[in-house]
């Protein structure tokens, strides 16, 4: 009888982490930034049906990079958790912090389980507050840890370089057009330092807008509204009608 091959627990966890990181790195990067009136989600996504960004609850948005089927399962679970908690208790009891804790437990359990492979996903859960100081952004890597982010965050294939670019240029009080321009500039930078053009039709953009009068603050931006914002950002101003709803 042959002796079973032994792998130390530390090496096994390191291998699982490397496997997950490589899977996430194959996906396209996305960024989440605070601006004066809320939080904007920007990513390169040629698909019009498979979204990287989604609404979870009234003031909470979800962003994910990695394998679509895995983060879609997590998104659905988050919506069910939020609906149940809001119905059982109060809508104000549904928070990004609580949702991030639920996701962290799920990802951590899967990552530490030897019976299944780790999820190849990295998540961002964001909640818009009544004021910019009340905004919350949490990044959740594949291992289930939680990172409290401020200002801007990038996840996906080229996240480290993009995060460095954003940290140097992001400012408080930016308009939506300015934040969108900065996000597109960051996503346009390749690993070798060169820049490429990302057309508007390949961008997925959504916002949590604290100025919306209804409870639900999440909306998608596309078509003519997105083109006007990109033009306004390039011109250094804001776009007329930028606060209009777009689905």
């Amino acid at each position: 009888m042959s002796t079973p091959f032994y792998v130390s627990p530390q090496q096994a966890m390191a291998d699982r982490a490397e496997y997950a990181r490589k899977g996430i790195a194959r996906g396209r990067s996305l960024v989440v930034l605070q601006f004066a009136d809320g939080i904007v989600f920007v990513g390169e996504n040629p698909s019009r049906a498979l979204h990287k960004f989604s609404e979870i609850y009234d003031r909470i948005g979800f962003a994910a990079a990695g394998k679509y089927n895995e983060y879609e399962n997590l998104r659905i679970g988050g919506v069910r958790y939020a609906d149940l908690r809001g119905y059982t208790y109060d809508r104000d009891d549904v928070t990004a912090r609580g949702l991030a804790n639920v996701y962290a437990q799920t990802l951590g359990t899967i990552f530490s389980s030897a019976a299944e492979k780790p999820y190849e996903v990295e998540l961002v859960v964001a909640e818009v507050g009544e004021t910019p100081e009340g905004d919350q952004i949490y990044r959740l890597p594949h291992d289930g840890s939680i990172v409290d982010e401020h200002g801007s965050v990038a996840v996906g294939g080229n996240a480290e370089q993009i995060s460095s670019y954003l940290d140097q240029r992001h400012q408080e009080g930016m308009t939506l057009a300015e934040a969108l321009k900065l996000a597109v500039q960051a996503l346009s930078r390749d690993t070798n330092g060169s820049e490429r053009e990302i057309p508007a039709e390949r961008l997925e953009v959504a916002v949590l807008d604290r100025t919306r009068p209804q409870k639900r603050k999440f909306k998608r931006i596309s078509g003519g509204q997105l083109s006007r914002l990109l033009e306004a950002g390039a011109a250094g101003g804001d776009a007329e009608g930028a606060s209009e709803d777009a689905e």
Side-chain angles (χ1 to χ4, degrees), residues 177 181 229-237:
K181 175 186 176 183
L229 281 168
L230 291 171
E231 292 171 1

Side-chain angles (χ1 to χ4, degrees), residues 1 25 35 39 44 47 64 70 98 102 112 129 131 148 162 165 173 192 197 207 225-226 236 240:
M1 182 177 179
F35 67 102
I39 300 171
E44 184 179 0
S47 174
E70 293 180 348
V102 171
S112 59
T131 63
D148 187 4
I162 293 174
Y165 184 89
N192 59 8
E197 182 178 355
V207 296
Q225 186 186 16
L226 177 57
E240 181 179 358

Side-chain angles (χ1 to χ4, degrees), residues 27-244:
R28 299 181 187 274
S29 301
L30 59 90
V31 299
V32 180
L33 297 86
Q34 289 180 270
F35 67 102
D37 293 330
I39 300 171
V40 61
F41 305 77
V42 186
E44 184 179 0
N45 184 9
S47 174
R48 298 294 89 187
L50 306 180
H51 296 302
K52 292 176 175 288
F53 314 132
S54 299
E55 178 185 35
I56 296 292
Y57 211 59
D58 295 343
R59 293 177 166 269
I60 302 174
F62 170 95
K67 295 193 69 173
Y68 175 80
N69 65 311
E70 293 180 348
Y71 68 68
E72 178 66 7
N73 286 336
L74 292 169
R75 183 193 69 82
I76 293 172
V79 171
R80 289 172 177 167
Y81 160 83
D83 283 344
L84 179 61
R85 187 167 183 84
Y87 177 79
T88 305
Y89 300 101
D90 187 87
R91 299 186 76 90
D92 291 338
D93 290 328
V94 183
T95 64
R97 182 182 295 108
L99 185 63
N101 286 331
V102 171
Y103 281 143
Q105 292 174 18
T106 302
L107 288 172
T109 299
I110 293 171
F111 180 75
S112 59
S113 172
E116 54 185 321
K117 77 172 189 65
Y119 270 17
E120 300 167 58
V121 298
E122 191 166 11
L123 311 179
V124 176
V125 178
E127 178 179 358
V128 67
E130 297 291 343
T131 63
E133 291 74 20
D135 293 346
Q136 300 177 38
I137 302 176
Y138 300 100
R139 178 171 62 87
L140 293 100
H142 56 275
D143 60 358
S145 55
I146 302 178
V147 183
D148 187 4
E149 301 283 0
H150 299 279
S152 64
V153 60
V155 297
N158 195 23
E160 186 173 345
Q161 179 179 335
I162 293 174
S163 293
S164 177
Y165 184 89
L166 293 174
D167 289 343
Q168 296 172 14
R169 293 165 176 80
H170 181 265
Q171 299 176 353
E172 294 184 3
M174 299 178 78
T175 66
L176 177 55
E178 292 169 342
L180 181 58
K181 175 186 176 183
L182 176 60
V184 174
Q185 288 176 336
L187 292 170
S188 300
R189 299 180 66 84
D190 291 326
T191 54
N192 59 8
S194 61
E195 295 187 15
R196 58 191 175 89
E197 182 178 355
I198 304 177
E201 57 269 19
R202 291 183 63 87
L203 287 172
E204 180 181 355
V205 180
V207 296
L208 290 169
D209 185 354
R210 80 176 94 256
T211 65
R212 297 188 84 191
Q214 57 265 57
K215 284 183 175 292
R216 298 175 63 180
K217 305 301 182 182
F218 182 92
K219 66 177 181 179
R220 298 190 184 278
I221 298 178
S222 60
Q225 186 186 16
L226 177 57
S227 298
R228 291 194 299 272
L229 281 168
L230 291 171
E231 292 171 1
D238 206 345
E240 181 179 358
S243 61
E244 297 174 359

